Amino acid sequence: NAGVTQTPKFQVLKTGQSMTLQCAQDMNHEYMSWYRQDPGMGLRLIHYSVGAGITDQGEVPNGYNVSRSTTEDFPLRLLSAAPSQTSVYFCATRGDRGNSPLHFGNGTRLTVT
Amino acid sequence: AQSVAQPEDQVNVAEGNPLTVKCTYSVSGNPYLFWYVQYPNRGLQFLLKYITGDNLVKGSYGFEAEFNKSQTSFHLKKPSALVSDSALYFCAVRDVRDDKIIFGKGTRLHILP
């Protein structure tokens, strides 16, 4: 049981390049989300989804796009990378009960030069 | 909108002493509350969650958390600290009427041998 799988683990981009961070889960959870972690800023919610075909913005959505075509996958797209998007990105899912905790992937470390 | 405050960037505690990591929250409705831990170069691990009606909840690795509704706090505690408890700790909140889970900025815990 893999849980939440993120790829790639590391990525270096040049300013203006695009890329997609992948997140896949085998926990059959409807809720999926993306966070970024920056020193001194904690984890900030980028986008989240409560089910296939439904997405919504979090605290810091600008510069990022998401879609949710299946229950299992929730990719995060950077259309034109900027140095301010240098960060560690975490995908997380949770079960349907109100106090279900988040289950995190191992993260993707992204550097934009 | 919900928010979380962790007022201490860092907490230093001698091994064997009790530890407290502080968390206060703000929500419009009732809260779901969580604590997570992050060890160096690792993802986030769930420690414990608030259970309605229990003002003191127990979690993994001997940690517990005290819920205080009047002070809107959910402080993390441990009676006797271990060097291996040194890590980054995050408090998180979800309003029962919302889907988003919002994190605090984190508190780095140093246990001194």
Side-chain angles (χ1 to χ4, degrees), chain A residues 74-105:
Chain A
F74 191 43
L76 179 72
R77 298 183 184 84
L78 285 71
L79 297 180
S80 179
S84 61
Q85 294 178 304
T86 293
S87 188
V88 180
Y89 291 85
F90 288 100
C91 179
T93 75
R94 65 168 172 80
D96 294 334
R97 294 184 67 175
N99 62 354
S100 294
L102 288 169
H103 299 267
F104 283 87

Side-chain angles (χ1 to χ4, degrees), chain B residues 18-111:
Chain B
L19 69 87
T20 299
V21 182
K22 295 179 180 177
C23 171
T24 59
Y25 65 90
S26 174
V27 295
S28 301
N30 290 318
Y32 295 123
L33 294 158
F34 309 88
W35 276 101
Y36 292 82
V37 60
Q38 185 179 38
Y39 297 102
N41 299 315
R42 301 286 297 275
L44 280 87
Q45 299 177 28
F46 168 68
L47 266 184
L48 54 78
K49 64 183 179 183
Y50 170 59
I51 299 172
T52 303
D54 290 348
N55 288 343
L56 186 65
V57 294
K58 296 188 183 297
S60 305
Y61 311 120
F63 283 93
E64 54 194 26
E66 186 173 20
F67 173 72
N68 187 315
K69 186 174 183 177
S70 63
Q71 297 184 4
T72 60
S73 66
F74 190 56
H75 300 330
L76 183 69
K77 297 174 181 287
K78 188 173 183 181
S80 179
L82 300 172
V83 172
S84 57
D85 293 329
S86 298
L88 187 56
Y89 290 81
F90 290 97
C91 182
V93 67
R94 176 189 167 199
D95 190 311
V96 299
R97 299 178 299 182
D98 202 339
D99 292 307
K100 301 188 293 292
I101 298 178
I102 302 300
F103 283 76
K105 293 185 177 182
T107 298
R108 190 164 297 281
L109 180 63
H110 284 288
I111 308 302

Side-chain angles (χ1 to χ4, degrees), chain A residues 6 21 33-47 59-64 76 78 82-92 104 107-108 110 112, chain B residues 38 44 90 103-105:
Chain A
Q6 290 185 237
L21 280 64
S33 55
W34 278 101
Y35 291 86
R36 59 178 289 174
Q37 182 179 15
D38 303 290
M41 302 297 292
L43 279 87
R44 292 180 290 171
L45 181 64
I46 304 172
H47 285 285
E59 302 170 278
V60 287
N62 292 342
Y64 307 94
L76 179 72
L78 285 71
S84 61
Q85 294 178 304
T86 293
S87 188
V88 180
Y89 291 85
F90 288 100
C91 179
F104 283 87
T108 295
L110 175 67
V112 183
Chain B
Q38 185 179 38
L44 280 87
F90 290 97
F103 283 76
K105 293 185 177 182

